[in-house]
């Protein structure tokens, strides 16, 4: 008999990309496609998928109510916790970057600079390392608005294609760190349900390799 595991999966874009990968890995994903408003969906006899917001994926895995979780590295860097990062499944590839109005000399500007972001922890870590003094303003979405409206000198945000920056007259000043989806595991689950977790992750990793 194998152990039953619960997988916390980040709702939205990553959920859809992961569903494609699960199908490629040989899982029957019909129940995921027809989930309606259900939040816990059986994937197989021994696997349940739990759909959650990214920061909650971390919380459920840390507390051991889900054995493993799938979330973007952006969220994992922002919401650090006690878990093992066990695989990079290569989905949702993008990067963190410092960006702002085209042609503005961000680092040359005197005095404390204002930076808008949805990721204050990532931004603070980055500027601390560079020993640059900034005021960080938290914005919930469409962070690109902040420099356009004059609230901030720059933003720290995710860049995927670069289209949002380009179409709003902004440019990258510096790349910060690459991002992709990661599998995280509860530390106890990793010992107690080692085989089931390893089997699942290796199937996913194999399918991800075929994706490249
Ligand atoms: C993300 C990010 C950028 C955009 C970058 O926003 O915050 O705004 O995608 O993508 P691009 O480089 O391909 O243009 P998201 O769509 O997640 O919405 P949000 O800004 O409301 O968080």
């Amino acid at each position: 008999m194998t152990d039953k595991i619960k997988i916390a999966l980040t709702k939205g874009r990553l959920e859809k990309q992961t569903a494609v990968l699960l199908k490629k890995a040989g899982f029957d994903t019909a129940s995921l496609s027809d989930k309606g408003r259900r939040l816990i969906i059986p994937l197989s006899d021994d696997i349940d998928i739990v759909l959650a917001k990214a920061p909650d994926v971390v919380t459920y895995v840390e507390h051991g109510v889900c054995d493993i979780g799938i979330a973007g590295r952006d969220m994992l860097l922002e919401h650090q916790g006690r878990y093992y990062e066990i695989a990079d499944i290569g989905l949702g590839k993008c990067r963190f970057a410092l960006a702002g109005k085209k042609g503005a000399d961000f680092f040359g500007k005197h005095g404390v600079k204002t930076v808008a972001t949805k990721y204050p922890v990532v931004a603070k870590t980055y500027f601390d390392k560079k020993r640059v003094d900034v005021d960080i303003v938290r914005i919930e979405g469409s962070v690109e608005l902040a420099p356009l409206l004059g609230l901030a000198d720059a933003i720290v945000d995710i860049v995927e294609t670069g289209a949002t920056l380009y179409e709003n007259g902004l440019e990258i000043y510096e790349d910060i760190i690459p991002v992709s989806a990661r599998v995280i595991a509860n530390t106890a689950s990793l010992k107690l349900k080692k085989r089931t977790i390893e089997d699942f992750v290796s199937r996913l990793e194999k399918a991800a390799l075929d994706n490249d």
Side-chain angles (χ1 to χ4, degrees):
M1 207 185 89
T2 55
D3 298 302
K4 194 153 176 128
I5 58 167
K6 282 198 180 69
I7 301 171
L9 173 59
T10 304
K11 282 205 267 190
R13 223 181 299 180
L14 192 52
E15 170 193 342
K16 291 193 180 77
Q17 294 176 0
T18 306
V20 173
L21 199 60
L22 287 169
K23 194 169 182 185
K24 212 173 255 176
F27 289 100
D28 178 2
T29 53
S31 56
L32 262 181
S33 324
D34 306 330
K35 66 181 191 313
R37 305 289 292 176
R38 279 181 308 152
L39 298 170
I40 302 180
I41 296 117
L43 181 69
S44 67
D45 288 344
D46 48 11
I47 300 175
D48 277 345
I49 300 278
V50 175
L51 295 172
K53 288 258 189 190
D56 302 335
V57 166
V58 173
T59 305
Y60 293 137
V61 171
E62 271 195 303
H63 286 261
V65 295
C66 288
D67 302 288
I68 63 178
I70 299 176
R73 189 182 185 207
D74 52 333
M75 282 298 165
L76 298 176
L77 289 169
E78 190 63 24
H79 303 273
Q80 288 164 10
R82 284 161 292 119
Y83 52 76
Y84 280 128
E85 194 178 300
I86 54 175
D88 177 350
I89 49 172
L91 301 176
K93 276 192 184 146
C94 52
R95 62 201 193 274
F96 273 116
L98 174 71
K101 278 194 186 163
K102 233 175 152 183
D105 181 12
F106 176 81
F107 288 107
K109 191 194 161 196
H110 290 293
V112 179
K113 296 166 257 291
T114 304
V115 172
T117 187
K118 227 165 66 171
Y119 302 88
V121 173
V122 172
K124 187 172 179 333
T125 309
Y126 166 69
F127 284 110
D128 281 355
K129 221 178 260 174
K130 291 184 90 70
R131 296 177 183 277
V132 173
D133 205 8
V134 294
D135 277 335
I136 293 174
V137 182
R138 194 192 158 95
I139 297 288
E140 288 302 322
S142 300
V143 182
E144 293 84 357
L145 281 171
L148 296 177
L149 296 174
L151 177 68
D153 299 298
I155 60 174
V156 165
D157 198 22
I158 292 295
V159 177
E160 193 180 348
T161 61
T164 313
L165 291 179
Y166 180 77
E167 290 184 26
N168 290 289
L170 306 174
E171 66 178 358
I172 291 178
Y173 297 153
E174 195 165 279
D175 282 330
I176 299 179
I177 196 166
V179 167
S180 59
R182 306 296 161 99
V183 182
I184 58 169
N186 174 268
T187 46
S189 300
L190 207 49
K191 290 185 192 119
L192 299 170
K193 303 178 181 179
K194 195 173 185 323
R195 233 190 70 198
T196 316
I197 291 176
E198 281 180 355
D199 283 354
F200 173 79
V201 173
S202 79
R203 277 176 78 171
L204 216 55
E205 279 183 318
K206 248 181 232 144
L209 272 182
D210 293 343
N211 253 1
D212 287 341

